[in-house]
Amino acid sequence: MEGGTVQSRGKLIVLVASTSESTEYQRSTWRQMLLATLPQQYARFMGTDWSTSVETNPDGTAKYVPNGLRVVESLLHRRFPEEDVAVCYPDNLDLFVGEDTRVIGIHAHNPLGITFATDVYAGFYGRECEPINAYEFRRVVTHPAIALYRRHLKVIVGGPGAWQIEHKGLQAEWDIDTLVHGEAEEVIEDLFECAVRGDALPERIECNSPSLESIPIAKNRSTFGVVEITRGCGRGCQFCSVALRDGKSLPLDHILLNVRNQVAQGADTIMLTTEDLFLYQQGKRFATNRGALIRLFESVANVEGVRHIMLTHGTMAPVVVDPGIVDDLHLAVDLSVNRHPDSTHPGNRYAMMFVGLETGSVRLFRHYMKGKSYPFKPEQWPDVVMKGMQIMNRANWFPMCTFILGLPGETREDTRESLDLLHSLKDARWCVIPTLFVPLEETRLGRQDGARIARLTDLQWEFFFTCWRYNMDFFRREKSVQWKFNAGIPLYYYTLGRRLFGPSMKYPLFRLGHFPERWLKSHLYLDFTAGTPPRYTASETVPVPEHAQYAELRVLN
Ligand code: B12
Ligand code: SF4
């Protein structure tokens, strides 16, 4: 390592991301997501040592970090010589922070683990448990190398989870000069220049959406080979932070340059990143652009070195409007990293995409997220979900779907409707993640109370654990370990669960532990014994309403 000099003087600007937000262990997104949820205190018993499994270049810099930090790095290269900027993991901060260092830029994806789905799970072990993500982030921000040179350093934190630090009032305690919220393209260069000069910095910066032209090509490798294909969405869901940002697509040339850069740096997997895959080069009113999508997949797959394509988010409605689209995008299955014996693909591969189903209650759906089902009406939502799932599953797309429990004003009837939809999806090939409502600050529901795990009703618990029962049955096939898990369930309930959450979790939890349904049915809402058919089935077609009829429902544009 040419480290002698680097070590003693340091780099002018050091960018850093925690290992638990950078790891691409086994190319498994769900494993990384677990790190945002599992409690650090018990991590070693859960076999998650890989949370710090990342790769380092010979000079000590990071091989891959979250894409947002790569974008910041590329923006800085416009203003500062490349040799003045280093990107590393916390364990190598000592190599790069020194007398010459003026700015530390820290990326925050989910730094305290307080967003959807995350602290819920750490909470099962008691209130004081900190998720691995939070522990790892704290390790960055309180790193001794930063403390040692703090007198001449500015500390800037940005990323999609920066709001969490403000929300928990930790900015002063962690001695952070500036928190940057939102898309930072148009502020980075000036902000870092001021920081390098030692000027006083604002405590917080709220960024506006940048023009397409100001989004740079990421020169270096991002975790999971993330390459953005769109930004924003515009469907207007009230709980979502990107709801009101208009959707825009990155030009294909820009995308392909990014793909080539990823591959040139050793990535063989490209994660096409978007809020909704079907918005890529969309037509009017979210119309899917089938040709552009096919061209995108083919062009990416044709880049030499690309072996796998991974997806991020998408919505159900476009699949129901245009069922052939998932067949046309067969490369998402052919080049997927995921395999499951239930896939009919010759290599048992399946495409995995995150899909927000959020609720089975038409009332809540209409109130909070009616743009999500467009061009269908809110009352068609359960049919859209059933049909969309059928179409996806037939094409070997097994989506990872989220539901939100505890949306403001959720009644028992609403929860029952979600349970009905869940019941109807019992034979689907999917993964279903129950999350608790979190009022993200920059959203229209930002001032509402968040849902609390300790306040879940018996019906909400039933929803929660029925989801996990489905997931276990679908993904965990080794029956030999199943009995151990089942036996652990009552043990957990009587030693800890009952004390932390009260008796309303009992029977739902016992469903997770595979207790006999004929016994559970008198205690739970859903009856899984043979007699009760699910409320919904996938219909032959779901009619797209006439626009005239639908006009008054639109929240769009
Ligand atoms: C790809 C992705 C993932 C991947 C890969 C993550 C990774 N480590 O690289 C996977 C699937 C693993 C993942 C997991 C999770 N994710 Co995620 N993910 C995304 C996604 C789709 C793209 C991220 C991205 O690369 N965007 C492109 C870059 C350019 O944008 P950016 O990161 O925001 O960066 C910009 C600014 O934030 C800023 N910036 C970024 N870093 C820095 C640093 C400094 C110093 C400064 C000044 C500025 C700055 O500048 C950049 C340019 O504008 C986003 C949604 C989205 N479209 O952004 C969700 C998103 C970020 N994820 C989210 C969540 C909730 C999670 C999980 C917690 C999910 C879960 N419930 O389990 C986990 C946490 C994982 C972990 N270990 O931390 C939420 C974040 C909400 C929040 N933080 O409050 C988002 C916004 C999705 C959503 N709408 O809900 N995720
Ligand atoms: S469809 Fe998804 S990304 Fe778009 S506003 Fe709704 S939740 Fe947000």
Side-chain angles (χ1 to χ4, degrees), residues 173-460:
E173 185 180 326
W174 282 345
D175 203 10
I176 295 168
D177 292 286
T178 305
L179 284 175
V180 179
H181 304 279
E183 300 163 272
E185 274 78 1
E186 290 174 356
V187 309
I188 290 291
E189 290 164 70
D190 289 346
L191 174 66
F192 277 70
E193 191 168 300
C194 289
V196 164
R197 276 202 307 265
D199 295 352
L201 300 182
E203 267 182 29
R204 74 188 308 278
I205 298 181
E206 193 71 54
C207 310
N208 295 321
S209 270
S211 63
L212 266 184
E213 299 68 48
S214 49
I215 301 177
I217 304 289
K219 291 188 191 142
N220 292 316
R221 186 166 151 198
S222 305
T223 298
F224 295 122
V226 162
V227 169
E228 277 191 288
I229 58 167
T230 71
R231 278 241 181 133
C233 169
R235 285 186 186 265
C237 304
Q238 292 189 26
F239 51 84
C240 170
S241 52
V242 294
L244 298 174
R245 289 183 204 155
D246 273 348
K248 48 180 175 261
S249 301
L250 279 302
L252 186 57
D253 288 349
H254 180 110
I255 294 170
L256 292 177
L257 269 173
N258 270 327
V259 171
R260 288 194 197 98
N261 283 349
Q262 295 299 311
V263 174
Q265 309 253 330
D268 63 0
T269 300
I270 296 298
M271 181 184 273
L272 298 177
T273 296
T274 169
E275 302 301 343
D276 181 354
L277 178 67
F278 305 110
L279 293 184
Y280 174 70
Q281 301 287 3
Q282 59 180 301
K284 269 198 180 154
R285 299 212 178 100
F286 309 117
T288 305
N289 187 338
R290 198 195 263 234
L293 273 168
I294 297 172
R295 206 158 41 248
L296 169 73
F297 274 76
E298 288 178 349
S299 315
V300 171
N302 280 336
V303 172
E304 207 180 320
V306 172
R307 285 183 55 219
H308 299 289
I309 292 182
M310 292 164 92
L311 308 176
T312 60
H313 300 78
T315 42
M316 276 296 191
V319 175
V320 181
V321 176
D322 181 3
I325 185 72
V326 282
D327 295 309
D328 283 347
L329 302 183
H330 58 88
L331 283 169
V333 180
D334 299 339
L335 299 186
S336 171
V337 293
N338 304 305
R339 292 170 194 256
H340 191 285
D342 283 6
S343 163
T344 56
H345 179 270
N348 288 133
R349 293 185 192 277
Y350 70 92
M352 197 282 284
M353 182 169 76
F354 299 99
V355 180
L357 301 185
E358 325 303 13
T359 180
S361 156
V362 167
R363 186 186 78 87
L364 289 177
F365 187 87
R366 178 180 290 114
H367 197 67
Y368 292 124
M369 56 194 105
K370 58 188 172 187
K372 208 186 247 298
S373 63
Y374 188 83
F376 299 101
K377 295 179 183 180
E379 52 271 34
Q380 292 176 290
W381 182 236
D383 294 333
V384 170
V385 171
M386 295 302 297
K387 189 70 197 167
M389 187 66 79
Q390 184 193 58
I391 298 165
M392 283 195 183
N393 280 181
R394 274 189 192 149
N396 290 317
W397 287 48
F398 301 173
M400 186 182 277
C401 300
T402 47
F403 276 85
I404 305 177
L405 290 172
L407 278 162
E410 179 179 318
T411 62
R412 289 180 71 75
E413 189 46 34
D414 294 319
T415 319
R416 275 193 280 267
E417 293 205 341
S418 288
L419 279 161
D420 285 341
L421 184 59
L422 186 66
H423 189 199
S424 310
L425 290 164
K426 71 182 168 43
D427 296 321
R429 284 168 288 164
W430 65 325
C431 174
V432 51
I433 311 285
T435 71
L436 263 57
F437 168 66
V438 177
L440 299 183
E441 236 137 71
E442 69 276 38
T443 66
R444 279 186 271 169
L445 296 181
R447 291 180 186 282
Q448 301 284 345
D449 276 346
R452 298 266 156 72
I453 190 168
R455 289 201 223 131
L456 291 185
T457 64
D458 52 344
L459 288 173
Q460 290 171 324

Side-chain angles (χ1 to χ4, degrees), residues 58-80:
D59 65 355
T61 55
K63 214 166 218 169
Y64 39 78
V65 290
N67 178 253
L69 199 62
R70 287 303 188 197
V71 169
V72 171
E73 177 191 25
S74 297
L75 291 164
L76 291 173
H77 287 168
R78 289 176 177 169
R79 188 73 61 95
F80 301 92

Side-chain angles (χ1 to χ4, degrees), residues 121-175:
Y121 296 95
F124 278 116
Y125 302 86
R127 281 180 70 80
E128 69 288 355
C129 280
E130 174 178 57
I132 294 176
N133 249 31
Y135 169 83
E136 289 296 333
F137 187 82
R138 198 158 43 78
R139 213 160 65 81
V140 181
V141 81
T142 59
H143 196 284
I146 302 179
L148 187 64
Y149 296 100
R150 186 64 183 97
R151 68 189 185 287
H152 60 64
L153 282 180
K154 301 284 187 199
V155 176
I156 301 175
V157 178
W163 67 272
Q164 299 179 6
I165 295 166
E166 191 170 276
H167 182 79
K168 288 279 175 183
L170 285 166
Q171 182 169 4
E173 185 180 326
W174 282 345
D175 203 10

